[in-house]
Amino acid sequence: MDSTFVKFALPALIALVISATPAAALEQNCRFIQAKADREACYKRQEEELATKRKSVTPTNESKALESLHQMRQDDDAVYRSIHGICRGC
């Protein structure tokens, strides 16, 4: 293996593992709570946090999809105009 590759790949892999760990720990901490009411409250908080994250991400994805669709329609119209300009009566 190339030592330059190892120098950069190993720190990148460690950073990836460290950044992924808090998300996994956040999801699993509720199931270890013994009191049922506290455990259910924890699950409810997690659901609310997840819902707010999804709401903030969804409009961005929808706007990108709508923008992409609009761009494709403009491209299609341009192609149709050029085809009809070349081949009149075909």
Side-chain angles (χ1 to χ4, degrees), residues 69-86:
L69 182 62
H70 183 66
Q71 181 63 35
M72 288 190 322
R73 286 185 179 171
Q74 286 180 341
D75 293 343
D76 288 345
D77 290 340
V79 169
Y80 292 143
R81 273 188 259 120
S82 68
I83 289 173
H84 289 300
I86 293 172

Side-chain angles (χ1 to χ4, degrees), residues 26-40:
L26 180 66
E27 293 174 3
Q28 295 179 359
N29 66 357
C30 290
R31 67 179 174 175
F32 296 113
I33 298 174
Q34 295 297 322
K36 184 177 179 180
D38 294 339
R39 185 174 57 244
E40 289 177 354

Side-chain angles (χ1 to χ4, degrees), residues 1-13:
M1 279 188 138
D2 190 353
S3 63
T4 313
F5 174 73
V6 174
K7 286 181 186 178
F8 291 110
L10 186 61
L13 182 62

Side-chain angles (χ1 to χ4, degrees), residues 10-79:
L10 186 61
L13 182 62
I14 291 171
L16 179 67
V17 169
I18 290 172
S19 67
T21 303
L26 180 66
E27 293 174 3
Q28 295 179 359
N29 66 357
C30 290
R31 67 179 174 175
F32 296 113
I33 298 174
Q34 295 297 322
K36 184 177 179 180
D38 294 339
R39 185 174 57 244
E40 289 177 354
C42 181
Y43 284 133
K44 187 174 181 178
R45 278 193 307 268
Q46 283 184 353
E47 283 182 27
E48 291 170 356
E49 290 173 5
L50 186 60
T52 46
K53 287 180 184 178
R54 285 182 180 167
K55 285 181 183 177
S56 65
V57 172
T58 303
T60 306
N61 291 339
E62 289 177 1
S63 64
K64 286 182 182 179
L66 186 60
E67 188 175 312
S68 174
L69 182 62
H70 183 66
Q71 181 63 35
M72 288 190 322
R73 286 185 179 171
Q74 286 180 341
D75 293 343
D76 288 345
D77 290 340
V79 169

